[in-house]
């Protein structure tokens, strides 16, 4: 242990010695690191053995006078000689030098080929070509024997470039008459074979074999182009090249070669596929489409071969593209025999033909999943293609709203003709039905496998239900079915969908929810069709009312129950409105008849009193009341009557304790509004006629509130009621030239003020006193104006000055009076 320093001078000397030792140790460790790097590089090259009599440096003794804490350092050894072929610099500097050297050689070779080649004769050119190429190709072998792997790679890359330049120079000088594309095909094939042989022969170079794979992508394609082949011939050349690249990628274990081969296969395969698709789409007959179809099937086979034993993600992707290519090939031939509107059906059927692949056990599972994904993709695209036409067909009967009860048509297509909504052929419903059958088959298959009816299984069932629900109405319109038959089919479909929606124990939740909303959509379609004929309107909406009511009674789901209850009220509303139209009552009188629907709902709510049932019914009743108000808005008398009747219904609802606050306020508001509407229709312009009844009711309610809660503020109890009348009356006072309103308003304000003072109520006292002061000001204003006109002009400032002096002299007394007044008012309620 080193003794502790006894003085700063000794501590400083100790620190100096420690720093010297650290610097010396750092130098030793750096030398050790350099020696180890050189040894590792030489060992990897295999051309170095440790020198005799020398050991690697491990460290050194601490310098003389080093602190005692460093006495454990190992002994120093003499530095060895640097191994042959090693360098003290890092590999980064070596790589930079090699790359720069290779680039310089490549530039020199290009310059020689372009500028100095023509100055040599045939013999000179041959000698130069043979010598330079042979030297460049042979140099890596010697370099590898000496352990210079990086240098060999650089020289090998230059050698490969020289072979390309040699091929170009040979065409330019010796074979200038040869066709460029044909010579390029031949040269690329020769280069690919030569580079492959060179890479296999040398063995330890990494660049020749991937370069051979790249060169091998061109011979067939360029050869087909040089031979004047058609687009299909070029497509087959691309496809065969892709197949060859797949074979190379599958059998060669070198990672760089496999990556290059997979990349080349993807590019050439995609080129052949695009050519096949273009030729298939543009074909005008089966014979013209057969050759592109075979090309597309070949592309599918190549894709399957490529991913047969690939990882899962790659196998699924390959299965998808293979399935799509097969569908395009077969569908491209078949669609030439049908009208263009049925081409979607053809491709959809071809996609459905891929489904049995799921049962072929020899096909790997990921590939099967990809093929089924292709079938699902084709189905989805087909449905999306016909969806706009299907939507227009379903909404087409809405044109009947412009002319209700115009008469029974010959067929349903006549109703949709107003919107131009039906398709040109039956292809749209056929596509929907085929897609529904496919989804149903998928659902049944998944259930048989033991899958739970949720997730993808439930989605398949829901999709099948939705497609069938859309296909049937579209089929009715497209096939121009008789009007009565279309109504019957729609009603039967609604009944089936509602039965499926409420059968929650036997139907998955997703399918049940879809069935419910599809039932609503089909019911709307049936209702629009029924509005064309008066008897059909009563029959269809009456049956829909019964169906929705029965579904609400049987349903155990809150959403389904609420929706069906609201739709029941809506159907009853349509029936009531139709009754008014049949009786020719006119819109205002029909509004009174429509109120029978919310009246029945209110009675039913008093009887049932189940929140899960009452709340949806009340929502439907509120909508019916709004419709009634809209019908009566053109007639003031009937509008007042409808408002009053709505107030009665709200008051009847307020009988139930849980609805008393909201319904009570609503009833009061409706009664007041009904009174005002009646007064407006009678031509009454005095505001008191509108406000006084409200004030009386509000003050009566406030009186009851004060009796039950004596601590309640007078502003809460009486403020709103008094303000409703006093405010509008004051506004009307200033524009009223007669004496009756000031007299009555002043008397009423005096009574309110006295009542507030006697009862010690703050709100009546202040509101009444303020109103009384304003009325007095209104009455005295003309006389005050006359007095001011009679006085000289200097008297007004003089009187104001005297008033201010008086207030200033008695300021303290006035301040005490104001405080007492504030305290007195504060003690009032």
């Amino acid at each position: 242990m080193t003794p502790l320093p006894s003085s700063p001078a000794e501590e400083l000397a100790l620190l100096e010695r420690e720093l010297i030792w650290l610097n010396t140790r750092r130098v030793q460790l750096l030398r050790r690191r350099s020696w180890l790097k050189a040894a590792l590089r030489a060992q990897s090259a295999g051309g170095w053995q440790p020198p005799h009599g020398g050991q690697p440096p491990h460290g050194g003794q601490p310098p003389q006078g080093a602190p005692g804490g460093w006495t454990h350092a190992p002994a120093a050894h003499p530095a060895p000689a640097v191994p042959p072929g090693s360098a003290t610099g890092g590999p980064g500097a070596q790589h930079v030098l090699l790359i720069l050297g290779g680039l310089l050689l490549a530039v020199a070779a290009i310059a020689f080929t372009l500028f100095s080649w023509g100055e040599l004769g045939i013999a000179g050119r041959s000698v130069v070509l043979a010598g330079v190429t042979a030297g460049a190709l042979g140099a890596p072998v010697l370099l590898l024997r000496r352990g210079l792997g990086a240098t060999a790679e650089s020289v090998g890359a230059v050698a490969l470039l020289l072979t390309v330049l040699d091929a170009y120079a040979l065409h330019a000088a010796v074979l200038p008459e040869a066709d460029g594309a044909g010579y390029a095909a031949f040269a690329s094939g020769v280069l690919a074979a030569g580079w492959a042989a060179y890479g296999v022969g040398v063995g330890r170079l990494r660049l020749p074999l991937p370069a051979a794979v790249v060169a091998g992508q061109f011979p067939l394609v360029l050869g087909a182009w040089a031979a004047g082949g058609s687009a299909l011939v070029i497509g087959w050349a691309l496809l065969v090249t892709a197949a060859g690249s797949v074979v190379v990628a599958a059998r060669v274990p070198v990672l760089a070669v496999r990556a290059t081969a997979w990349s080349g296969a993807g590019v050439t395969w995609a080129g052949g596929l695009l050519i096949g698709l273009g030729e298939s789409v543009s074909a005008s007959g089966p014979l013209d489409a057969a050759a592109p179809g075979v090309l597309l099937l070949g592309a599918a086979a190549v894709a399957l071969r490529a991913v047969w034993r690939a990882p899962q993600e790659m196998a699924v992707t390959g299965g998808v593209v293979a399935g799509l290519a097969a569908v395009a090939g077969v569908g491209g031939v078949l669609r030439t025999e049908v009208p263009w509107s049925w081409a979607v059906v053809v491709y959809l059927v071809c996609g459905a033909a891929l489904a049995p692949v799921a049962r072929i056990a020899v096909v790997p599972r990921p590939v099967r999943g990809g093929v089924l994904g292709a079938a699902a993709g084709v189905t989805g695209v087909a449905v999306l293609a016909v969806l706009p036409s299907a939507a227009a067909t379903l909404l087409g009967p809405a044109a009947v709203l412009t002319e209700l009860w115009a008469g029974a048509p010959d067929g349903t297509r006549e109703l949709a003709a107003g919107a131009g909504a039906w398709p040109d052929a039956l292809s749209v419903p056929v596509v929907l039905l085929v897609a529904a059958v496919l989804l149903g088959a998928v659902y049944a298959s998944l259930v048989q496998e033991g899958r739970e009816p949720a997730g993808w299984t439930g989605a398949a069932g829901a999709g099948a239900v939705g497609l069938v629900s859309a296909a049937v109405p579209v089929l009715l319109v497209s096939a121009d079915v008789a009007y009565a038959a279309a109504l019957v089919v729609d009603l039967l479909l609604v009944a089936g969908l509602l039965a499926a929606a409420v059968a929650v124990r036997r139907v998955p939740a997703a399918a049940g929810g879809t069935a419910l909303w599809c039932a609503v959509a089909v019911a709307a379609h049936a209702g629009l069709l029924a509005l064309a004929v008066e008897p059909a309107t009563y029959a269809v909406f009456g049956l829909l009312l019964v169906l929705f009511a029965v579904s609400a009674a049987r349903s155990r789901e809150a959403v389904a129950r609420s929706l069906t209850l609201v739709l029941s009220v809506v159907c009853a509303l349509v029936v009531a409105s139709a009754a008014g139209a049949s009786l020719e009552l006119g819109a205002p009188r029909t509004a009174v008849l429509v109120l029978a629907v919310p009246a029945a709902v209110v009675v039913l709510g008093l009887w049932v009193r189940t929140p899960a049932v009452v709340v949806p019914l009340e929502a439907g009743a509120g909508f019916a009341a709004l419709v009634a108000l809209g019908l009566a808005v053109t007639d003031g008398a009937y509008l007042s009557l409808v408002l009053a009747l709505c107030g009665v219904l709200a008051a009847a609802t307020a009988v139930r304790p849980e609805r008393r606050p909201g319904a009570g306020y609503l009833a009061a508001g409706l009664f007041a509004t009904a009174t005002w509407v009646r007064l407006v229709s009678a031509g009454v312009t005095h505001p008191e006629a509108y406000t006084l009844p409200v004030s009386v009711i509000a003050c009566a309610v406030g009186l009851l509130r004060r009796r039950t809660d004596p601590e309640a503020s007078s502003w809460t109890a009486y403020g709103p009621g008094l303000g409703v009348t006093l405010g509008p009356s004051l506004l009307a006072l200033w524009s009223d030239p007669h004496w009756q309103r000031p007299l009555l308003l002043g008397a009423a304000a005096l009574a309110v003020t006295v009542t507030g003072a006697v009862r010690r109520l703050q709100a009546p006292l202040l509101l009444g006193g303020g109103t009384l002061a304003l009325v007095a000001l209104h009455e005295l204003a003309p006389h005050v104006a006359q007095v001011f006109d009679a006085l000289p002009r200097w008297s007004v400032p003089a009187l104001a000055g005297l008033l201010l002096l008086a207030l200033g002299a008695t300021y303290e007394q006035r301040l005490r009076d104001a405080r007492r007044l504030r305290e007195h008012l504060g003690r009032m309620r």
Side-chain angles (χ1 to χ4, degrees):
M1 296 296 293
T2 302
L4 295 175
S6 59
S7 65
E10 292 181 1
E11 184 177 1
L12 180 60
L14 178 62
L15 291 177
E16 292 291 344
R17 289 195 298 272
E18 289 182 353
L19 290 174
I20 293 173
W21 163 244
L22 289 175
N23 290 332
T24 305
R25 185 63 176 167
R26 181 176 180 276
V27 172
Q28 293 172 352
L29 292 177
L30 289 175
R31 292 180 58 195
R32 172 69 173 173
R33 185 182 67 173
S34 299
W35 190 90
L36 290 174
K37 286 184 177 180
L40 288 175
R41 288 196 297 271
Q43 184 178 0
S44 63
W48 172 80
Q49 296 295 331
H52 298 287
Q55 295 295 331
H58 293 282
Q61 293 291 346
Q64 186 176 2
W70 297 99
T71 56
H72 64 279
H77 297 275
V82 179
S86 66
T88 58
Q94 181 185 14
H95 291 168
V96 170
L97 294 174
L98 293 175
I99 292 172
L100 289 176
L103 290 177
L104 291 175
L105 287 176
V107 171
I110 294 172
F112 172 77
T113 304
L114 295 177
F115 302 108
S116 301
W117 182 261
E119 299 177 0
L120 299 176
I122 296 298
R125 296 174 183 178
S126 301
V127 171
V128 171
L129 282 173
V132 174
T133 304
L137 292 174
V141 179
L142 299 177
L143 292 172
L144 288 174
R145 290 179 181 178
R146 295 182 59 85
L148 302 176
T151 307
E153 291 288 350
S154 300
V155 176
V158 174
L160 298 182
L161 179 61
L162 285 174
T163 57
V164 177
L165 295 175
D166 291 343
Y168 169 76
L170 182 63
H171 176 266
V174 181
L175 301 172
E177 70 281 356
D179 178 66
Y183 180 80
F186 172 77
S188 60
V190 172
L191 289 175
W195 289 350
Y198 179 69
V200 173
V202 176
R204 294 171 63 184
L205 291 179
R206 291 175 291 183
L207 186 60
L209 290 179
V213 173
V214 174
Q217 308 300 313
F218 300 101
L220 290 179
V221 180
L222 294 177
W225 185 19
S230 62
L232 287 176
V233 174
I234 296 176
W236 276 110
L238 289 168
L239 196 60
V240 173
T241 303
S245 299
V246 169
V247 173
V248 172
R251 295 189 177 183
V252 178
V254 182
L255 180 60
V257 176
R258 296 182 64 185
T260 307
W262 280 124
S263 301
V267 173
T268 52
W269 182 88
L273 179 69
L274 292 176
I275 291 176
L277 288 175
E279 294 294 320
S280 177
V281 171
S282 60
S284 57
L287 296 179
D288 294 337
V294 175
L295 177 61
L296 291 172
L297 291 177
V302 171
L304 288 177
R305 175 62 185 86
V307 300
W308 195 261
R309 300 189 183 280
Q312 182 174 359
E313 294 78 7
M314 188 175 178
V316 172
T317 304
V320 171
V321 296
L324 294 177
V327 170
V330 178
V333 177
L334 299 179
R335 63 95 186 160
T336 58
E337 294 294 324
V338 298
W340 182 251
S341 60
W342 286 87
V344 179
V345 180
V346 171
Y347 285 108
L348 177 60
V349 173
C350 293
L354 298 176
V357 176
R359 301 294 182 182
I360 303 177
V362 70
V363 181
R365 181 180 294 272
V367 177
R368 279 184 284 167
V371 174
L372 292 179
V378 172
T379 304
V381 171
V383 172
L384 290 177
V386 302
L387 197 58
S389 180
T393 304
L394 292 174
L395 296 176
V400 76
L401 295 175
T402 60
E403 190 176 359
L404 298 175
W405 295 352
D410 296 331
T412 53
R413 181 176 293 186
E414 183 179 344
L415 291 178
W422 75 91
D424 295 334
L426 296 175
S427 59
V428 173
V430 170
V431 168
L432 297 177
L433 289 174
V434 172
V437 171
L438 292 176
L439 288 177
V442 171
Y443 173 77
S445 176
L446 293 176
V447 171
Q448 288 180 357
E449 293 179 1
R451 301 283 187 88
E452 292 293 331
W456 290 108
T457 306
V465 172
L467 290 175
V468 170
S469 303
V472 173
V474 173
L475 181 62
L476 296 176
V477 177
S478 302
D480 198 16
V481 177
Y483 177 72
L487 290 178
V488 172
V489 172
D490 274 349
L491 290 174
L492 291 176
L493 181 59
V494 172
L497 292 171
L498 289 176
V502 299
V504 294
R505 294 183 178 180
R506 298 182 299 274
V507 178
T514 305
L516 175 63
W517 291 103
C518 289
V520 176
V522 177
H525 183 264
L528 292 174
L529 291 178
L531 292 177
V533 181
E534 183 177 358
T537 301
Y538 290 105
V540 169
F541 281 97
L543 289 174
L544 290 177
L545 171 61
V546 174
L547 289 175
F548 285 129
V550 172
S551 299
R554 296 181 55 189
S555 177
R556 297 183 180 181
E557 295 291 333
V559 175
R561 186 190 306 112
S562 300
L563 182 61
T564 50
L565 285 173
V566 172
L567 292 175
S568 302
V569 176
V570 172
C571 291
L573 176 63
V574 174
V575 173
S577 302
S582 298
L583 297 174
E584 298 181 356
L585 298 178
R589 296 183 179 181
T590 303
V592 180
L593 184 60
V594 166
L595 286 179
V597 176
V601 171
V602 170
V603 174
L604 185 61
L606 294 175
W607 176 49
V608 177
R609 294 201 174 190
T610 302
V613 176
V614 173
V615 172
L617 287 176
E618 288 179 347
F623 176 74
L626 291 176
V627 172
L629 292 173
L631 292 173
V633 74
T634 57
D635 191 312
Y638 277 98
L639 179 59
S640 175
L641 177 60
V642 170
L643 287 169
L645 293 176
C646 290
V648 172
L649 296 178
T653 305
V655 173
R656 294 158 46 201
E658 68 275 9
R659 291 288 184 268
R660 186 164 299 160
Y665 288 125
L666 178 61
L670 289 172
F671 284 133
T673 306
T675 304
W676 293 346
V677 170
R678 185 60 181 173
L679 291 174
V680 170
S681 62
V684 176
T685 58
H686 298 291
E688 290 80 7
Y690 298 91
T691 60
L692 193 56
V694 177
S695 294
V696 172
I697 296 174
C699 290
V701 173
L703 181 60
L704 295 176
R705 170 71 182 278
R706 290 274 295 174
R707 287 184 177 180
T708 57
D709 184 13
E711 298 297 326
S713 173
S714 62
W715 289 101
T716 304
Y718 305 113
L722 295 175
V724 166
T725 296
L726 295 178
S729 297
L730 277 174
L731 293 177
L733 177 67
W734 295 96
S735 60
D736 190 354
H738 304 287
W739 58 270
Q740 291 88 354
R741 178 175 278 114
L743 178 60
L744 295 176
L745 183 59
L750 179 60
V752 170
T753 304
V754 172
T755 302
V758 172
R759 297 291 183 182
R760 301 180 61 82
L761 299 175
Q762 190 179 105
L765 177 62
L766 295 180
L767 290 176
T771 303
L772 185 60
L774 292 175
V775 172
L777 179 61
H778 175 269
E779 293 300 311
L780 295 176
H783 305 287
V784 173
Q786 291 177 3
V787 171
F788 275 103
D789 289 338
L791 292 174
R793 295 184 179 273
W794 56 265
S795 60
V796 177
L799 292 175
L802 292 175
L803 179 61
L804 292 176
L805 289 175
L807 290 175
T810 60
Y811 176 75
E812 295 294 335
Q813 181 63 33
R814 302 287 80 77
L815 188 60
R816 288 192 295 269
D817 294 341
R819 288 171 180 168
R820 284 195 296 269
L821 177 61
R822 185 181 63 181
E823 293 173 358
H824 180 70
L825 291 175
R827 289 193 293 268
M828 292 183 176
R829 296 302 301 173

